[in-house]
């Protein structure tokens, strides 16, 4: 009989006043006892609605049953069989819109803490050394461009099938947004490194400092004997608002601000990358990236940090837990506000931002009520830093150097239902296709692309052998 | 890791490195740049490629030891390695095949980047007048190299200790006024120099290309830190540039943005000498 407690087993967290002074992980994770107790809340439904909500189809009730029985290693293996990066997903997936959103227990009370359990299993196995199983090579080569969540999923899935996979990364470090975007306090980089290491142990080759499109073209990758190429180049140039004052000193894109902190470790002693010190910060946007930026700014020492969002609290696209944590950490939400101008001081450093109040009107094409400006409601807020977290447009490098690769008007690569691009043998997934989205959606796309690449190469070699 | 195979101190503050980077050497073209990261603690710093040798698989960079990272870089010797070098980044400079005569202008360490442009132009059969400006005689670099790729080389020094006394703009004006018809002017050097060269050529209607070097992090079109205003629009030096039409660049804004971390830089320098660290 399932444990019918209506709420999730509480999880230990660093208290807000403590954690805003460090970059250590906020959520401390379940103990084995807590995990088993939480796993006991699962009803093990026959039709498994949770699983349908998972972009990488983790067999959720199965792994939870193993956790409940204390068989953590077995639970981990079930997750890992469909999910290349469980320690990452357990931490950063928007579970409330996916698995947990479909959980029957959520109808009356809180859903089962699936994300927390996934994380528990991954962390439990993190320090266990297991002999890496190197699959038998199948004699086929695939190149993967980019080393973010979609690319790593493709690499892992294809390596498992025996492909010789080389991942080309433009930065000095693999991981993509997991390294440069998501902060340490939400996703410790050591975990990302370990997940990548496990791919390398499986035989995946990772080449850093390789800017594909510049140093090698996609066509050259094919000439080098790769039978298929996967493009997972992720987010590109940040969006700005096009308002006056965006070139002032102290206006950052979230990409730049987060990269300085997360990838380049500007928050750590001994690292050379500088970052401006801020007393009062306005973060424009309401997604996960906005929350990450705001919470980083707080940790970097800002006394006041505001989220400026043009809709209301109900429409914030960020993960619920991030909003909750941000509120706890003293981030002030100035919702129903839209920036119109940024003012600078005599040194061209940001001094203040002019906002216009908004109200909610009719639903727009996204189904959310659209913000409408309240005339004459201009007001200013004194700040010294602005972080624009408005999304990105896909990276232009590959498209501009690969003939035959088509993009839509937003610059996103066009793919069919098999994740195949308009160029034969070239597949794509993640933000390069969808525009800014989530880690798990990128992984879902990677999973699908890997299966399709496998099919494509096997069909092709079957035809050639006829 | 990227090995330094040759080091040459060009003057007190300017160092030349030839680096083993076979993939980059194969593709590099005049106008493109690399991003280096010295070691795990280093920042990512862009440097324009000064020369390349496709057979040897090497690229050459020339840099001034002005900030913490370039000072540390300059301390390396032949045989040492740089942790990361990514490139070739940016769009290669493109010239109209009909051009006959071009004035290439280099300012200080910018001469190291003006040099490959002059080299490329002369290989296209274009007549190159090279104007190289320095503060004084003791910091003149690459004179022989520049002479070899130009029809005429005019060295100018601010203090008159070598060549003609005066700024590059004085010499350029003199040449234009003497009736020479330039199809293009290429100016590479301090922002202030590029600004005044562009100001000078505008009334004459001479197309002027400048190579910008704003603050960058990734250099691949991701962070947006290198944005510059060109013709009233945001452009990114890493993927849209680094070359832009000098008559359309907002140089004043670029100068201010390039100074954004100046106080922090100073603290970094202090730290290298045992001082206190910022942040």
């Amino acid at each position: 009989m399932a444990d019918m407690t209506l709420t999730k087993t509480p999880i230990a967290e660093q208290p807000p006043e403590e954690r805003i002074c460090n970059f250590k992980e906020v959520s401390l994770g379940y103990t084995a006892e807590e995990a088993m107790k939480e796993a006991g809340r699962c009803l093990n439904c026959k039709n498994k609605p949770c699983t349908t909500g998972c972009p990488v189809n983790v067999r959720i009730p199965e792994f939870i049953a193993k956790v409940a029985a204390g068989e953590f290693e077995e639970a981990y293996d079930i997750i890992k069989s469909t999910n290349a990066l469980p320690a990452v997903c357990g931490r950063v997936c928007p579970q409330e819109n996916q698995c947990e959103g479909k959980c029957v227990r959520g109808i009356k009370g809180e859903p089962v803490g699936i994300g927390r359990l996934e994380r528990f299993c991954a962390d439990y196995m993190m320090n266990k050394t297991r002999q890496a199983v190197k699959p038998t090579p199948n004699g086929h080569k695939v190149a993967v461009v980019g080393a973010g969540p979609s690319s790593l999923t493709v690499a892992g899935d294809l390596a498992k099938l025996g492909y010789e996979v080389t991942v080309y990364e433009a930065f000095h470090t693999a991981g993509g947004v997991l390294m440069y975007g998501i902060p340490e306090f939400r996703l410790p980089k050591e975990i990302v490194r370990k997940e990548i290491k496990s791919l390398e142990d499986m035989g995946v080759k990772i080449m850093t400092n390789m800017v594909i499109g510049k140093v090698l073209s996609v066509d050259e990758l094919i000439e080098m004997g790769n039978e298929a190429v996967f493009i997972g180049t992720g987010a590109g140039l940040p969006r700005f608002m096009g308002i006056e004052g965006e070139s002032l000193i102290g206006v950052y894109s979230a990409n730049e601000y987060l990269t300085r902190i997360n990838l380049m470790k500007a928050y750590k002693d001994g690292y050379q990358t500088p970052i401006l010190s801020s007393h009062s910060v306005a973060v424009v946007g309401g997604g996960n990236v906005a929350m990450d930026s705001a919470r980083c700014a707080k940790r970097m020492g800002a006394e006041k940090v505001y989220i400026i969002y043009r809709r209301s609290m109900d429409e914030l696209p960020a993960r619920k837990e991030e909003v909750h944590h941000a509120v706890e950490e003293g981030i002030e939400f100035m919702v129903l506000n839209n920036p119109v101008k940024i003012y600078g001081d005599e040194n061209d450093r940001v001094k203040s931002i002019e906002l216009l109040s908004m109200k909610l009107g009719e639903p727009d094409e996204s189904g959310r009520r659209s913000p409408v400006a309240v005339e004459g409601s201009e007001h200013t807020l004194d700040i010294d830093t602005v972080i624009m977290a408005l999304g990105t447009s896909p990276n232009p490098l590959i498209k501009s150097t690969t003939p035959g690769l088509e993009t839509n008007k937003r610059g996103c690569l066009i793919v069919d239902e098999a994740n195949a691009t308009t160029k034969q043998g070239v597949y794509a997934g993640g933000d390069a296709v969808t525009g800014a989205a989530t880690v798990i959606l990128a992984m879902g796309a990677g999973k699908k692309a890997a299966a399709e690449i496998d099919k494509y190469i096997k069909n092709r070699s079957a035809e050639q052998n006829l | 890791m990227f090995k330094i195979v040759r080091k040459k101190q060009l003057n007190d503050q300017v160092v030349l490195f030839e680096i083993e980077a076979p993939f980059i050497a194969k593709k590099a073209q005049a106008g493109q740049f690399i991003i280096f990261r010295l070691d795990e603690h280093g920042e990512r710093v862009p440097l324009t490629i000064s020369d390349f040798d496709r057979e040897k698989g090497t690229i050459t960079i020339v840099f001034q030891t002005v900030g913490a990272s370039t000072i540390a870089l300059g301390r390396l010797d032949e045989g040492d390695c740089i942790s990361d070098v990514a490139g070739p980044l940016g769009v290669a400079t493109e010239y109209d095949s009909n051009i006959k005569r071009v004035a290439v202008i280099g300012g200080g360490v910018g001469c190291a980047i003006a040099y490959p442009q002059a080299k490329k132009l002369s290989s296209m059969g274009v007549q190159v007048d090279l104007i190289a400006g320095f503060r004084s005689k003791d910091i003149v670099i690459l004179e022989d190299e520049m002479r070899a790729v130009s029809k005429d080389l005019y060295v100018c020094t601010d203090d008159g200790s070598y060549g003609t006394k005066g700024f590059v703009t004085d010499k350029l004006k003199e040449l234009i006024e003497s009736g020479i018809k330039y199809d293009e002017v290429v100016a590479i050097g301090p922002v202030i120099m590029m600004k005044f060269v562009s100001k000078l050529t505008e009334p004459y209607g001479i197309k002027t290309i400048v190579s910008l070097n704003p603050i960058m992090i990734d250099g691949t079109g991701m962070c947006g830190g290198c944005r510059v205003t060109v013709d009233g629009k945001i452009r990114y030096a890493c993927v849209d540039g680094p070359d832009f039409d000098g008559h359309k660049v907002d140089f004043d804004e670029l100068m201010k943005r390039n100074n954004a971390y100046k106080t922090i830089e100073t603290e970094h320098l202090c730290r290298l000498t045992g001082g206190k660290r910022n942040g």
Side-chain angles (χ1 to χ4, degrees):
Chain A
M1 179 60 200
D3 175 346
M4 293 311 288
T5 314
L6 287 180
T7 51
K8 288 181 187 174
T9 309
I11 196 161
E13 285 175 351
Q14 271 198 79
E17 62 282 3
E18 209 171 276
R19 70 190 191 229
I20 57 170
C21 301
N22 66 54
F23 268 81
K24 288 187 208 136
E25 197 167 12
V26 168
S27 166
L28 304 175
Y30 277 150
T31 61
E33 295 71 38
E34 289 163 346
M36 286 167 73
K37 178 168 165 41
E38 182 61 17
R41 294 183 61 231
C42 176
L43 300 176
N44 205 354
C45 311
K46 226 179 232 148
N47 58 350
K48 308 177 180 61
C50 49
T51 301
T52 65
C54 176
V56 295
N57 312 112
V58 170
R59 304 199 305 277
I60 296 165
E62 263 180 70
F63 98 75
I64 291 184
K66 294 289 181 194
V67 176
E71 295 164 15
F72 305 136
E73 197 162 339
E74 288 80 354
Y76 175 80
D77 286 337
I78 293 169
I79 303 171
K80 188 78 184 178
S81 69
T82 63
N83 182 349
L85 311 167
V88 173
C89 289
R91 289 173 165 84
V92 306
C93 271
Q95 286 97 2
E96 70 262 26
N97 304 326
Q98 298 175 357
C99 52
E100 293 183 22
K102 306 243 173 176
C103 177
V104 172
R105 294 296 309 264
I107 298 166
K108 194 179 167 201
E110 288 181 348
V112 175
I114 302 168
R116 294 173 177 185
L117 291 173
E118 182 180 32
R119 173 188 162 175
F120 167 78
C121 296
D123 289 0
Y124 177 84
M125 291 307 293
M126 198 56 80
N127 300 316
K128 305 257 179 303
T129 38
R130 281 209 286 189
Q131 198 59 45
V133 193
K134 262 201 187 157
T136 324
N138 69 5
H140 297 285
K141 268 171 76 173
V142 174
V144 173
V145 183
S150 70
S151 296
L152 293 177
T153 304
V154 171
D157 281 13
L158 289 178
K160 254 187 243 167
L161 296 170
Y163 285 88
E164 184 187 334
V165 183
T166 308
V167 176
Y168 295 91
E169 165 60 39
F171 277 165
H172 52 265
T173 295
V177 72
L178 308 175
M179 291 304 278
Y180 76 73
I182 303 176
E184 179 77 17
F185 56 81
R186 203 146 80 75
L187 178 63
K189 302 305 146 216
E190 191 49 35
I191 285 171
V192 183
R193 271 189 286 271
K194 280 187 176 162
E195 298 271 32
I196 291 167
K197 173 80 175 30
S198 80
L199 292 178
E200 287 180 301
D201 289 344
M202 237 167 36
V204 173
K205 193 172 169 206
I206 295 176
M207 291 186 73
T208 53
N209 295 315
M210 293 295 277
V211 186
I212 301 303
K214 289 292 179 186
V215 75
L216 287 174
S217 67
V218 171
D219 286 309
E220 283 170 310
L221 291 176
I222 294 168
E223 285 160 24
M224 285 159 66
N226 291 295
E227 291 168 68
V229 177
F230 176 79
I231 298 172
T233 43
L237 292 165
R239 293 218 172 87
F240 287 91
M241 297 188 74
I243 59 173
E244 210 182 313
E246 285 184 306
S247 289
L248 290 166
I249 295 165
V251 180
Y252 283 109
S253 74
N255 272 1
E256 180 182 356
Y257 191 75
L258 292 173
T259 300
R260 283 181 184 275
I261 294 173
N262 301 321
L263 181 73
M264 304 312 295
K265 311 263 178 280
Y267 71 93
K268 263 188 170 174
D269 246 9
Y271 284 79
Q272 299 283 341
T273 300
I275 194 157
L276 295 171
S277 67
S278 309
H279 300 284
S280 188
V281 181
V283 179
V284 183
N288 289 322
V289 174
M291 300 306 139
D292 285 346
S293 304
R295 297 172 67 200
C296 278
K298 193 82 185 181
R299 283 160 175 76
M300 293 303 289
E303 291 104 54
K304 290 271 184 190
V305 181
Y306 307 95
I307 292 273
I308 314 284
Y309 181 56
R310 59 195 187 126
R311 301 180 205 248
S312 76
M313 289 302 279
D314 293 337
E315 286 84 21
L316 283 170
R319 228 174 143 234
K320 255 189 205 158
E321 194 186 6
E322 307 313 324
V323 177
H324 168 71
H325 281 153
V327 171
E328 279 187 342
E329 288 168 15
I331 311 293
E332 293 174 49
F333 284 74
M334 297 191 57
V335 296
L336 291 168
N337 272 295
N338 203 29
V340 285
K341 190 176 172 182
I342 305 164
Y343 295 92
D345 65 14
E346 64 283 3
N347 299 317
D348 271 300
R349 173 78 194 246
V350 171
K351 182 178 79 174
S352 63
I353 189 166
E354 186 175 307
L355 306 168
L356 200 57
S357 299
M358 309 295 277
K359 60 178 187 218
L360 291 180
E362 294 302 308
D364 60 15
E365 65 271 23
S366 72
R368 297 176 298 179
R369 292 179 64 193
S370 59
V372 186
V374 178
E375 260 183 69
S377 65
E378 290 88 349
H379 51 288
T380 57
L381 184 65
D382 288 342
I383 43 145
D384 55 22
T385 303
V386 179
I387 303 170
M388 293 290 184
L390 304 161
T392 58
S393 55
N395 195 303
L397 278 189
I398 294 280
K399 148 77 184 154
S400 63
T401 55
T402 311
L405 209 55
E406 282 171 35
T407 55
N408 65 19
K409 59 177 188 289
R410 289 183 300 137
C412 301
L413 294 174
I414 295 171
V415 297
D416 62 14
E417 61 284 352
N419 277 77
T421 66
T422 50
K423 191 177 173 77
Q424 204 195 346
V426 180
Y427 292 74
D431 284 7
V433 167
T434 55
T438 60
V439 168
I440 188 68
L441 284 176
M443 290 179 61
K447 194 160 192 62
K448 189 147 157 251
E452 296 290 343
I453 288 172
D454 178 47
K455 227 192 295 176
Y456 166 76
I457 291 179
K458 289 200 171 135
N459 281 343
R460 224 180 86 170
S461 55
E463 276 167 30
Q464 280 166 354
N465 290 338
L466 277 180
Chain B
M1 297 296 263
F2 296 80
K3 194 168 155 194
I4 299 160
V5 294
R6 185 164 67 98
K7 177 182 184 177
K8 195 174 166 193
Q9 192 84 36
L10 298 183
N11 70 31
D12 270 1
Q13 280 206 347
V14 177
V15 181
L16 177 150
F17 276 168
E18 190 178 339
I19 302 166
E20 250 171 35
F23 283 111
I24 302 173
K26 223 171 151 185
K27 289 292 176 71
Q29 293 183 65
Q32 291 188 299
F33 64 94
I34 53 111
I35 294 247
F36 80 87
R37 191 183 71 136
L38 193 59
D39 56 28
E40 165 60 25
H41 295 95
E43 46 180 339
R44 291 172 65 92
V45 182
L47 286 175
T48 305
I49 298 167
S50 176
D51 209 347
F52 45 83
D53 187 327
R54 302 210 199 282
E55 273 80 59
K56 257 171 92 185
T58 60
I59 56 165
T60 301
I61 51 169
V62 174
F63 57 96
Q64 193 163 10
T65 50
V66 279
S69 294
T70 44
I71 290 175
L73 184 70
R75 286 186 182 149
L76 297 186
D77 281 317
E78 280 178 12
D80 289 344
C81 285
I82 301 168
S83 177
D84 303 283
V85 178
L89 301 166
V91 182
T93 313
E94 294 236 3
Y95 293 106
D96 194 319
S97 56
N98 297 320
I99 53 171
K100 301 272 184 292
R101 192 164 186 179
V102 172
V104 176
I105 299 158
V109 70
C111 288
I113 308 158
Y115 162 71
Q117 300 292 357
K119 189 176 164 186
K120 178 174 175 172
L121 285 163
S122 359
S123 77
M124 289 166 61
V126 175
Q127 181 175 338
V128 176
D129 293 347
L130 219 161
I131 308 171
F134 299 94
R135 259 195 339 270
S136 59
K137 186 184 177 184
D138 53 314
I139 59 164
V140 173
I141 57 166
L142 300 172
E143 194 181 347
D144 295 341
E145 287 86 346
M146 289 191 289
R147 202 176 297 283
V149 294
S150 56
K151 181 171 176 291
D152 287 302
L153 171 69
Y154 304 93
V155 178
C156 311
T157 50
D158 298 1
D159 63 1
S161 55
Y162 192 62
T164 319
K165 182 176 165 41
F167 295 127
V168 291
T169 40
D170 302 332
K171 178 52 82 181
L172 178 64
K173 190 167 170 82
E174 184 191 314
L175 294 171
I176 296 172
E177 296 278 302
S178 77
I180 299 174
K181 288 266 173 288
Y182 289 115
D183 298 304
E184 270 187 43
V185 167
V186 180
I188 302 167
V191 181
I192 188 88
M193 182 205 91
M194 296 191 282
K195 174 183 167 175
F196 282 105
V197 168
S198 303
K199 263 192 150 166
L200 170 69
T201 56
E202 196 165 15
Y204 296 103
I206 308 170
K207 181 179 172 187
T208 300
I209 302 293
V210 294
S211 174
L212 305 185
N213 195 358
I215 294 169
M216 272 184 202
I217 311 181
D218 68 299
T220 62
M222 193 277 284
C223 82
C226 67
R227 62 190 189 274
V228 286
T229 304
V230 181
D231 210 8
K233 291 187 197 75
I234 290 185
R235 303 292 299 277
Y236 299 94
C238 69
V239 288
D240 298 326
D243 292 348
F244 290 101
D245 180 344
H247 297 148
K248 292 180 176 159
V249 171
D250 186 338
F251 290 105
D252 294 338
E253 179 190 285
L254 176 62
M255 277 186 267
K256 280 171 189 157
R257 286 184 61 82
N258 277 354
N259 284 334
Y261 295 95
K262 233 179 173 176
T263 50
I264 301 181
E265 268 285 295
T266 321
E267 294 234 8
H268 269 285
L269 285 169
C270 298
R271 182 149 44 100
L272 282 181
T273 53
K276 195 179 151 281
R277 146 167 231 279
N278 176 282

